[in-house]
Amino acid sequence: QKVTKKVVEQFRTDQGPEIQKALVEYDKAGFEAGTLGSYVEEFWNESYLSPDDSVVLNLNPFFVLEGGPDPKTASNQIARAASLSFAAIKMASLLKEEKLKPDFFKKKPLCMDQFRVLFASSRQPVSRHDTGACDDVHVYSESTHIVVLCKNQFYYFPVMWPDSYELALDEHDIRDMLAAIQKHAESLSPKATSKTGIGAFTALPRSKWAATREEMCLFEVNEKSLSVIDSALFVLVLDDFTPQDIHSCAANMLHGTSFQVDEGDDFQQQGTCLNRWYDKLQLIVCKDGTAGVNFEHSSIDGHTALRFVSDTYAETVLAFADSITSLIHGRGTLPHVIEATVKRAVDVRDGDGQLVLDVQPRKLLFELNENLQKDVYFAETTLCDQMVANDTHVLEFKDYGKSLIVGNSLSPDALVQMSILLAYFKLYGEVVCQYEPVLTKSFYHGRTEAMRSVTPKAKHLCEIWIATGTSTEDRLEALKEATQEHSRLCKESSQGKGVDRHLFAL
């Protein structure tokens, strides 16, 4: 602690004040120009967008959803995908009309800016040849279509009216569209689809993906198709895969699967890792109806993605409940999490009896020369190497839960953080640098603060916990003090009193 205090004091009297003045001026200029909402915003975005590493495993997080609420359709891939997509599209419609209820924490509203890039956004790869170059996130505010990935092939269809953003399809319409897409994709040979799985390109290091995309765009048809993908509200992925357990399910949502088919001179690479587009929000549904989400993380944090996941899933539950009670009470008697207007395109025709909006699905076409087909092969190989070098295991702790923890005046979050720290200490005898992201969306354009979990009280907990002759009472007292200190610092961080992001900006 003496060394730390010395370094801090030296910074405060040396270059600290000068850099702080520059940061204040930078913040003021950005606010007045309307280009910044937070002094850390630009630097924090660059920290996500500047690394050249693949976004797979390194950046994109994932969720695994609970099973479908309707036992009749829970294991039906098309029905589950239609149900989740319908709920997601309703949420996108509310956001476009600015009618989505804002987030609150302890009765205080939170900044909703991140929802601006939840739908219809795309991360664009940029070459790192120029110093300081980094990727960019484009938002397509007028988007009204979704893209469907099936058997490594891309399809799309409109889901909203372009003028009002009302839904142009209901859940059954979407189901019909997806069934038609799946039927067409299954008519194609696996050999052909494995060689055109360009989704694997989005798993490449960013400079390689930028160069490959530039080569693809030499063909006009490719440029147009990529534009359709980029501008989609989200990508719905229909996977030809059935998870054997929660571990394989999580791995599939994180990075997909891969296997090889050796037919003599014709060696094929197949698997769901080709059936992805990692530069966008992806809603993934497996063959048995198992579902999850993989999302591009540079512009949104877990809290925003969790709102999307929880609202979308909850809406499917309430829609099922509404269908059960409809025979007695009629439809619409139960309140919904996501309310949006549906004006089916099939019911709207012009004076000549023609459909005003064509919502039939169309396949996106790509022209891949021999070099690009080889690049697909190498992209999958590179991703597969990353996949086999990692193991995904889901830990479900069921010995006790929140009730016992809270009943002993402890914070569940703080207890988990201390458990991780203690586990490492018991294995290696060291207290290592560890931090927990804390939500700061109570501030304009706020994202997260880094709350450092390693405190003197946490270090004392680790030492006393493994010491011989320590009583249970002493251990529990040390645990209580460490978790209370952790909770106190979390609260300070959420109130903008943290130091990490400030020092990072400096």
Side-chain angles (χ1 to χ4, degrees):
Q1 293 187 45
K2 289 182 180 180
V3 176
T4 302
K5 289 180 179 179
K6 182 180 178 180
V7 171
V8 170
E9 189 58 34
Q10 183 179 357
F11 180 74
R12 287 182 56 173
T13 57
D14 188 9
Q15 61 181 162
E18 183 179 349
I19 301 176
Q20 173 66 13
K21 181 182 178 182
L23 182 61
V24 171
E25 292 174 353
Y26 163 82
D27 180 46
K28 181 181 179 182
F31 180 78
E32 291 175 349
T35 57
L36 290 178
S38 162
Y39 69 86
V40 75
E41 186 172 17
E42 182 179 10
F43 307 126
W44 193 241
N45 287 343
E46 285 182 357
S47 72
Y48 280 109
L49 295 170
S50 60
D52 196 35
D53 303 311
S54 168
V55 297
V56 184
L57 291 167
N58 298 307
L59 187 64
N60 281 30
F62 72 96
F63 287 94
V64 175
L65 303 183
E66 293 285 349
D70 187 349
K72 295 181 180 178
T73 60
S75 58
N76 184 309
Q77 183 181 33
I78 295 300
R80 185 86 198 279
S83 175
L84 290 168
S85 297
F86 184 54
I89 295 164
K90 288 201 291 183
M91 187 175 187
S93 174
L94 287 183
L95 278 169
K96 284 179 175 291
E97 297 183 77
E98 298 186 355
K99 293 181 179 179
L100 186 72
K101 293 180 180 178
D103 287 329
F104 281 83
F105 180 71
K106 294 185 177 180
K107 299 183 179 180
K108 293 183 178 180
L110 302 179
C111 180
M112 298 290 285
D113 179 69
Q114 290 182 30
F115 286 90
R116 179 181 57 85
V117 292
L118 176 61
F119 296 105
S121 65
S122 177
R123 178 170 179 155
Q124 304 289 309
V126 173
S127 173
R128 268 45 173 196
H129 292 310
D130 298 327
T131 303
C134 65
D135 287 358
D136 189 22
V137 175
H138 292 191
V139 180
Y140 303 83
S141 58
E142 297 183 359
S143 171
T144 57
H145 67 279
I146 68 170
V147 161
V148 180
L149 250 172
C150 185
K151 303 282 187 180
N152 314 329
Q153 306 303 295
F154 293 81
Y155 303 81
Y156 76 100
F157 57 90
V159 294
M160 292 181 190
W161 290 91
D163 52 348
S164 64
Y165 298 126
E166 295 173 309
L167 272 68
L169 304 167
D170 63 16
E171 185 176 329
H172 293 285
D173 294 329
I174 296 173
R175 191 182 297 191
D176 291 340
M177 302 297 172
L178 299 183
I181 288 172
Q182 187 178 62
K183 182 178 180 180
H184 182 272
E186 288 179 344
S187 69
L188 306 174
S189 71
K191 177 181 177 180
T193 58
S194 67
K195 291 184 177 181
T196 57
I198 65 166
F201 288 154
T202 61
L204 286 169
R206 304 308 292 177
S207 288
K208 287 186 177 180
W209 170 209
T212 302
R213 182 176 173 123
E214 188 175 335
E215 183 179 352
M216 286 185 68
C217 288
L218 294 176
F219 300 94
E220 184 179 1
V221 64
N222 294 345
E223 189 172 17
K224 289 181 177 179
S225 293
L226 287 172
S227 178
V228 173
I229 298 173
D230 291 339
S231 59
L233 292 169
F234 59 88
V235 175
L236 172 64
V237 178
L238 300 178
D239 269 349
D240 188 17
F241 171 73
T242 300
Q244 298 304 306
D245 50 40
I246 187 61
H247 314 297
S248 61
C249 178
N252 186 59
M253 302 308 169
L254 176 61
H255 52 58
T257 64
S258 178
F259 63 93
Q260 290 77 39
V261 177
D262 191 354
E263 296 183 354
D265 295 334
D266 190 11
F267 185 76
Q268 300 174 33
Q269 295 183 125
Q270 299 180 20
T272 62
C273 69
L274 293 165
N275 203 43
R276 294 287 184 273
W277 196 261
Y278 287 105
D279 286 344
K280 292 181 67 67
L281 172 66
Q282 299 178 97
L283 182 56
I284 304 167
V285 183
C286 298
K287 202 169 184 178
D288 64 347
T290 304
V293 169
N294 184 293
F295 65 96
E296 203 286 308
H297 188 21
S298 62
S299 296
I300 66 171
D301 295 311
H303 183 267
T304 303
L306 182 60
R307 170 74 188 272
F308 163 69
V309 169
S310 59
D311 278 17
T312 299
Y313 180 75
E315 179 59 23
T316 66
V317 174
L318 288 170
F320 172 58
D322 192 31
S323 68
I324 294 175
T325 60
S326 62
L327 291 176
I328 301 174
H329 303 289
R331 283 194 174 274
T333 56
L334 292 178
H336 284 241
V337 176
I338 312 172
E339 295 279 5
T341 304
V342 179
K343 186 171 72 174
R344 296 178 68 216
V346 71
D347 297 330
V348 182
R349 299 176 183 270
D350 60 20
D352 298 325
Q354 301 296 312
L355 290 172
V356 175
L357 179 65
D358 183 5
V359 293
Q360 292 302 309
R362 287 175 168 76
K363 188 177 187 296
L364 290 174
L365 302 178
F366 293 94
E367 186 171 341
L368 302 181
N369 57 25
E370 185 178 350
N371 186 54
L372 286 170
Q373 288 187 31
K374 287 181 179 178
D375 285 344
V376 171
Y377 176 90
F378 294 137
E380 194 276 347
T381 302
T382 302
L383 176 57
C384 186
D385 286 348
Q386 293 178 316
M387 290 161 52
V388 298
N390 289 270
D391 184 36
T392 302
H393 186 88
V394 178
L395 174 63
E396 291 187 279
F397 185 80
K398 298 182 179 181
D399 290 8
Y400 57 85
K402 180 180 178 180
S403 297
L404 180 66
I405 299 170
V406 174
N408 284 274
S409 302
L410 299 172
S411 160
D413 168 69
L415 181 75
V416 171
Q417 295 296 323
M418 293 302 106
S419 299
I420 297 171
L421 198 63
L422 177 58
Y424 192 94
F425 189 83
K426 290 178 71 175
L427 283 171
Y428 305 108
E430 293 181 355
V431 176
V432 291
C433 182
Q434 175 178 311
Y435 88 87
E436 176 186 5
V438 177
L439 191 72
T440 55
K441 287 169 73 174
S442 56
F443 296 92
Y444 187 57
H445 286 205
R447 295 200 56 172
T448 61
E449 177 58 82
M451 201 297 289
R452 297 291 167 177
S453 307
V454 184
T455 62
K457 292 185 183 296
K459 181 173 182 290
H460 174 67
L461 166 66
C462 292
E463 292 171 342
I464 200 171
W465 199 273
I466 68 169
T468 56
T470 305
S471 66
T472 301
E473 290 74 15
D474 289 342
R475 287 178 174 176
L476 290 177
E477 183 62 27
L479 176 62
K480 184 171 291 187
E481 290 181 0
T483 54
Q484 287 175 348
E485 178 71 356
H486 184 92
S487 296
R488 182 184 70 81
L489 292 174
C490 277
K491 183 177 181 180
E492 286 187 358
S493 296
S494 68
Q495 295 171 341
K497 298 177 182 178
V499 298
D500 256 73
R501 300 294 186 253
H502 187 183
L503 290 171
F504 175 75
L506 289 173

